[in-house]
Amino acid sequence: GSKLPPLLLDEDEAVAVVVGLRSGTAMPGIAEISAQALAKLEHVLPDLDMVLLMSVNPGFGGQKFIPATLDNLRALRRMIAERGLAVDIEVDGGVKLDNLAAVVAAGADVVVSGSGVFASGDYAGTIAAMKRAAAAAQAGGGSTGATS
């Protein structure tokens, strides 16, 4: 089984499940999509290893990235930094080469890109360009990594 299972739970369920996971071998994480949900994370954030921000409405692939996710991502990154925590932020949904740098610059540690890679036709080239874009964004350059 997975040692890093992100959970989509309400506030009361989250506390009980995170405590249970922490006592085992799993690395607890929570999946969230809304700004309102981020405020509810504050009490459980110190017990998490990862927060998965959904940047589309869950259900099917190929959706467009929800731009408001960047604001949620920045707010979550700030919340984690202010508390001095070591919590990874994963962003899943609509991440493609044209928005990857903004996602990484806003604070993502991990990105999931399904159709952003598989719809490109050149998997290796797209992944290499994404790695360059992420590295540039982490270094503060913010380049998209796109080539002419």
Side-chain angles (χ1 to χ4, degrees), residues 56-64 94 96 114-115:
V56 296
N57 292 310
F60 60 93
Q63 296 183 60
K64 291 193 183 270
K96 296 181 171 32
S115 62

Side-chain angles (χ1 to χ4, degrees), residues 59-77:
F60 60 93
Q63 296 183 60
K64 291 193 183 270
F65 182 85
I66 299 171
T69 304
L70 293 175
D71 293 332
N72 294 346
L73 179 52
R74 287 184 201 98
L76 180 58
R77 175 55 60 207

